[in-house]
Amino acid sequence: VLFRSVASPWLGAKLLLLVLYVALGSLALKRARTPAARRASYAGALMVYMFMASVALSHHPLGLLQPWWTLVG
């Protein structure tokens, strides 16, 4: 039912990226056991956040990867 309510593919992608961002943020702040895992989770959360912003600005599920994907595909 949740996925039927998403009208646009870019909104669905953004929703999934938001869930991934929250999970990585949780690992970065308290759940990861080692400092290296916390740093990796933090870096991953930042990358997911930037990609989520690119999806929101471009209104396309691939975000900044869209021009590259159209050249390759």
Side-chain angles (χ1 to χ4, degrees), residues 56-73:
L57 291 172
S58 67
H59 289 204
H60 192 276
L62 292 176
L64 290 175
L65 299 176
Q66 178 192 7
W68 177 79
W69 188 262
T70 56
L71 289 176
V72 172

Side-chain angles (χ1 to χ4, degrees), residues 20-35:
L20 180 61
Y21 172 72
V22 168
L24 286 171
S26 176
L27 282 171
L29 292 175
K30 60 182 172 181
R31 299 202 186 273
R33 296 180 188 218
T34 64

